[in-house]
Amino acid sequence: MTVPAVLAVDIGGTKMAAAMAGLRNGRLGPVITTMTPRGSGDDVWESLAGLIHACTGGAGGGPAAVGVGCPGPMNTEAGTVSPVNIPGWRGFPLQARITEFTGAPTVLANDACCAALGEYRHGAGRGATSMLGIVVSTGVGGGLVLDGRLYQGPTGNAGHLGHAVADPGGDPCPCGGRGCVETLASGPSMVRRALQAGWRGPPGATAADLARAAAAGSPEALEAFDRAGRALATGIVWAAALADLDAAVIGGGVASAGDLILKPTSRHFRRYAGLSYLRRLRIVLTSLRQPEAALLGAASLAAGGGPLSRVRTARAGDETRAP
Ligand SMILES: [Zn+2]
């Protein structure tokens, strides 16, 4: 490859995606995807290695660096991941494996952090100084960009809005907490609560079905979106009060419901946010497609967008700064 390029990887419980990206302009090349195997940890790794090879092989040279977005929880200090939705990976040394496979320094980040950085640099978050990116799908994830830098925290889990408390007396959450944003605003919890309230959804109903019902005027479906918007607004107010944010960008599958989720979130936010520094925050929907946002963020990290991220070189235990 004549132009220096980085490799961006986005790992999900259902699909994995990868693309080469220009080191300077951050533009993505063709995006290659594959299904995430349901089998053992080795099966998942073999599939990921095949995807990386398909992306980098035959290009006349490997990537200058690799950026990887992966669902949490993770430990970026150790370079290991334990994604809830990939049971075969528990404490899996993803950073070392990719570094060994590609020979390039590898930066690891939570997938929602990557998506937040992608939105900030290339999407609906452009122009903001500090921004919260929220991914609303089967769970609720998030990432914080503060003063232009992705803030990951010591373990890489910062910005995880889904497990901020929106209802202190609320339902137990699979995380072990109670009343988390995710128990009200994730796609499956929205569907579950609408069904409990009497909505007659199709068998195996999804958030997309619920959005169609809400658009057709179903009161239970509209109430589910209102409840989700209120939970998201609560989390956004918390984050904005603590970090003085000027934008919150909502992405993920549920964001495709458009105004059905944006309007209640904005309305409840205006009810909760009293101070002028909170009220200047704008809440917008993503302008990028999936997995574009996460891949752009991963590419940006690999190209040096995460000045605080440490990367591990091919020599075990030898750490250097991101390129
Ligand atoms: Zn939780």
Side-chain angles (χ1 to χ4, degrees):
M1 187 167 288
T2 50
V3 180
V6 295
L7 173 66
V9 180
D10 179 49
I11 297 168
T14 311
K15 273 189 207 166
M16 300 188 280
M20 297 296 282
L23 185 58
R24 290 206 174 76
N25 60 21
R27 279 207 195 102
L28 295 178
V31 177
I32 304 178
T33 60
T34 187
M35 300 306 286
T36 307
R38 287 268 135 225
S40 69
D42 285 344
D43 291 342
V44 180
W45 167 251
E46 289 296 322
S47 191
L48 176 60
L51 176 70
I52 292 173
H53 181 76
C55 224
T56 58
V66 185
V68 186
C70 184
M74 59 179 44
N75 186 333
T76 48
E77 269 294 309
T80 58
V81 299
S82 308
V84 172
N85 50 7
I86 305 179
W89 282 1
R90 287 294 172 267
F92 183 79
L94 183 62
Q95 191 176 37
R97 288 288 190 97
I98 293 180
T99 298
E100 198 179 323
F101 188 73
T102 60
T106 298
V107 187
L108 185 61
N110 186 285
D111 54 352
C113 286
C114 286
L117 188 59
E119 295 287 356
Y120 182 84
R121 293 262 162 92
H122 301 277
R126 275 180 298 183
T129 301
S130 294
M131 187 204 100
L132 173 69
I134 309 167
V135 179
V136 188
S137 62
T138 52
V140 178
L144 281 169
V145 180
L146 302 178
D147 290 337
R149 292 181 175 192
L150 179 65
Y151 178 73
Q152 295 177 265
T155 64
N157 295 288
H160 204 157
L161 191 81
H163 301 285
V165 177
D167 178 6
D171 288 353
C173 178
C175 76
R178 187 172 277 274
C180 297
V181 170
E182 192 165 295
T183 66
L184 295 151
S186 74
S189 58
M190 289 167 67
V191 168
R192 191 182 65 251
R193 283 165 184 270
L195 290 170
Q196 284 167 355
W199 176 52
R200 292 165 183 262
T206 64
D209 295 315
L210 191 68
R212 274 189 287 277
S218 157
E220 296 88 5
L222 284 165
E223 173 60 25
F225 276 98
D226 186 74
R227 200 164 34 226
R230 193 166 60 225
L232 291 173
T234 309
I236 294 169
V237 169
W238 270 106
L242 291 174
D244 195 4
L245 306 173
D246 35 20
V249 180
I250 302 174
V254 174
S256 56
D259 279 350
L260 285 170
I261 189 66
L262 180 64
K263 283 192 170 172
T265 305
S266 301
R267 188 174 65 250
H268 287 294
F269 179 82
R270 285 194 299 274
R271 276 202 314 128
Y272 295 141
L275 296 171
S276 59
Y277 86 98
L278 298 177
R279 295 183 74 87
R280 70 189 179 81
L281 178 142
R282 61 189 170 96
I283 301 175
V284 289
L285 294 170
T286 175
S287 62
L288 301 170
R289 283 189 296 261
Q290 281 300 337
E292 202 183 0
L295 287 173
L296 284 165
S300 184
L301 277 178
L308 300 178
S309 303
R310 296 174 75 81
V311 297
R312 188 160 285 140
T313 67
R315 282 171 295 166
D318 177 10
E319 290 192 338
T320 57
R321 288 276 167 188

